[in-house]
Tab-separated table of all heavy atoms in Angstrom:
chain	number	residue	atom	x	y	z
A	707	PHE	N	83.973	29.426	47.146
A	707	PHE	CA	82.619	29.122	46.885
A	707	PHE	C	82.417	27.766	46.356
A	707	PHE	O	81.457	27.039	46.671
A	707	PHE	CB	82.022	30.171	45.896
A	707	PHE	CG	81.996	31.532	46.386
A	707	PHE	CD1	82.077	32.622	45.534
A	707	PHE	CD2	81.802	31.799	47.750
A	707	PHE	CE1	82.076	33.907	45.998
A	707	PHE	CE2	81.780	33.058	48.235
A	707	PHE	CZ	81.866	34.194	47.343
A	708	ASP	N	83.318	27.309	45.505
A	708	ASP	CA	83.228	25.955	44.916
A	708	ASP	C	83.273	24.895	46.033
A	708	ASP	O	82.480	23.949	46.004
A	708	ASP	CB	84.413	25.739	43.966
A	708	ASP	CG	84.273	26.548	42.727
A	708	ASP	OD1	83.161	26.971	42.457
A	708	ASP	OD2	85.324	26.766	42.023
A	709	LEU	N	84.159	25.026	47.011
A	709	LEU	CA	84.253	24.097	48.122
A	709	LEU	C	82.995	24.189	48.996
A	709	LEU	O	82.566	23.134	49.579
A	709	LEU	CB	85.512	24.400	48.932
A	709	LEU	CG	86.814	24.093	48.279
A	709	LEU	CD1	87.979	24.454	49.229
A	709	LEU	CD2	86.969	22.689	47.837
A	710	ILE	N	82.451	25.360	49.192
A	710	ILE	CA	81.208	25.450	50.001
A	710	ILE	C	80.055	24.739	49.304
A	710	ILE	O	79.283	24.043	49.927
A	710	ILE	CB	80.879	26.924	50.249
A	710	ILE	CG1	81.960	27.540	51.131
A	710	ILE	CG2	79.506	27.097	50.930
A	710	ILE	CD1	81.813	29.069	51.331
A	711	LYS	N	79.973	24.963	47.968
A	711	LYS	CA	78.902	24.321	47.199
A	711	LYS	C	79.009	22.771	47.286
A	711	LYS	O	78.030	22.065	47.279
A	711	LYS	CB	78.928	24.807	45.754
A	711	LYS	CG	78.519	26.285	45.594
A	711	LYS	CD	78.689	26.731	44.128
A	711	LYS	CE	78.374	28.235	44.003
A	711	LYS	NZ	78.602	28.676	42.586
A	712	LYS	N	80.238	22.268	47.289
A	712	LYS	CA	80.487	20.845	47.357
A	712	LYS	C	80.422	20.349	48.775
A	712	LYS	O	80.659	19.167	48.972
A	712	LYS	CB	81.834	20.507	46.728
A	712	LYS	CG	81.992	20.823	45.275
A	712	LYS	CD	83.392	20.570	44.746
A	712	LYS	CE	83.498	20.906	43.292
A	712	LYS	NZ	84.982	20.754	42.855
A	713	ARG	N	80.116	21.187	49.735
A	713	ARG	CA	80.012	20.862	51.146
A	713	ARG	C	81.324	20.332	51.716
A	713	ARG	O	81.358	19.665	52.745
A	713	ARG	CB	78.882	19.777	51.400
A	713	ARG	CG	77.541	20.245	50.934
A	713	ARG	CD	76.471	19.188	51.222
A	713	ARG	NE	75.162	19.531	50.685
A	713	ARG	CZ	74.315	20.361	51.362
A	713	ARG	NH1	74.692	20.826	52.555
A	713	ARG	NH2	73.130	20.666	50.789
A	714	VAL	N	82.465	20.668	51.085
A	714	VAL	CA	83.721	20.373	51.657
A	714	VAL	C	84.080	21.386	52.703
A	714	VAL	O	84.786	21.045	53.674
A	714	VAL	CB	84.788	20.383	50.509
A	714	VAL	CG1	86.204	20.223	51.060
A	714	VAL	CG2	84.513	19.290	49.540
A	715	LEU	N	83.605	22.568	52.536
A	715	LEU	CA	83.867	23.655	53.461
A	715	LEU	C	82.575	24.326	54.008
A	715	LEU	O	81.611	24.458	53.252
A	715	LEU	CB	84.719	24.758	52.824
A	715	LEU	CG	85.254	25.919	53.641
A	715	LEU	CD1	86.183	25.372	54.737
A	715	LEU	CD2	85.968	26.940	52.805
A	716	LYS	N	82.548	24.525	55.293
A	716	LYS	CA	81.377	25.202	55.923
A	716	LYS	C	81.851	26.372	56.801
A	716	LYS	O	82.764	26.188	57.628
A	716	LYS	CB	80.628	24.122	56.726
A	716	LYS	CG	79.387	24.694	57.375
A	716	LYS	CD	78.615	23.597	58.180
A	716	LYS	CE	77.347	24.102	58.842
A	716	LYS	NZ	76.708	23.012	59.593
A	717	LEU	N	81.275	27.495	56.561
A	717	LEU	CA	81.597	28.681	57.308
A	717	LEU	C	80.568	28.909	58.416
A	717	LEU	O	79.363	28.798	58.171
A	717	LEU	CB	81.685	29.943	56.479
A	717	LEU	CG	82.704	29.885	55.264
A	717	LEU	CD1	82.703	31.198	54.547
A	717	LEU	CD2	84.070	29.479	55.708
A	718	ILE	N	80.987	29.127	59.666
A	718	ILE	CA	80.075	29.317	60.805
A	718	ILE	C	80.480	30.600	61.507
A	718	ILE	O	81.636	30.755	62.012
A	718	ILE	CB	80.168	28.164	61.758
A	718	ILE	CG1	79.826	26.839	61.046
A	718	ILE	CG2	79.175	28.352	62.947
A	718	ILE	CD1	80.058	25.563	61.882
A	719	ALA	N	79.594	31.563	61.536
A	719	ALA	CA	79.835	32.836	62.187
A	719	ALA	C	79.349	32.723	63.637
A	719	ALA	O	78.249	32.333	63.879
A	719	ALA	CB	79.155	33.958	61.426
A	720	ILE	N	80.242	33.122	64.569
A	720	ILE	CA	79.907	32.988	66.032
A	720	ILE	C	80.055	34.309	66.729
A	720	ILE	O	80.799	35.162	66.287
A	720	ILE	CB	80.777	31.924	66.738
A	720	ILE	CG1	82.250	32.281	66.541
A	720	ILE	CG2	80.513	30.510	66.172
A	720	ILE	CD1	83.197	31.386	67.246
A	721	LYS	N	79.255	34.433	67.798
A	721	LYS	CA	79.254	35.670	68.627
A	721	LYS	C	80.044	35.549	69.891
A	721	LYS	O	80.560	36.542	70.414
A	721	LYS	CB	77.829	36.107	68.918
A	721	LYS	CG	77.047	36.541	67.709
A	721	LYS	CD	75.657	36.990	68.218
A	721	LYS	CE	74.809	37.471	67.015
A	721	LYS	NZ	73.409	37.885	67.484
A	722	ASN	N	80.130	34.341	70.451
A	722	ASN	CA	80.748	34.164	71.749
A	722	ASN	C	81.400	32.788	71.924
A	722	ASN	O	81.198	31.955	70.986
A	722	ASN	CB	79.754	34.370	72.904
A	722	ASN	CG	78.515	33.482	72.746
A	722	ASN	OD1	78.603	32.262	72.662
A	722	ASN	ND2	77.375	34.171	72.665
A	723	ILE	N	82.089	32.577	72.935
A	723	ILE	CA	82.869	31.319	73.111
A	723	ILE	C	81.971	30.147	73.297
A	723	ILE	O	82.319	29.014	72.942
A	723	ILE	CB	83.863	31.493	74.274
A	723	ILE	CG1	85.043	30.441	74.107
A	723	ILE	CG2	83.192	31.366	75.584
A	723	ILE	CD1	85.921	30.766	72.910
A	724	ASP	N	80.776	30.359	73.900
A	724	ASP	CA	79.843	29.288	74.030
A	724	ASP	C	79.395	28.685	72.738
A	724	ASP	O	79.188	27.466	72.585
A	724	ASP	CB	78.590	29.622	74.916
A	724	ASP	CG	78.917	29.780	76.414
A	724	ASP	OD1	80.052	29.321	76.755
A	724	ASP	OD2	78.152	30.269	77.146
Side-chain angles (χ1 to χ4, degrees):
F707 294 150
D708 292 341
L709 292 179
I710 294 174
K711 290 175 183 177
K712 295 175 181 177
R713 301 182 184 277
V714 173
L715 186 62
K716 182 179 181 181
L717 304 184
I718 303 173
I720 56 176
K721 291 182 179 180
N722 53 58
I723 202 69
D724 282 352

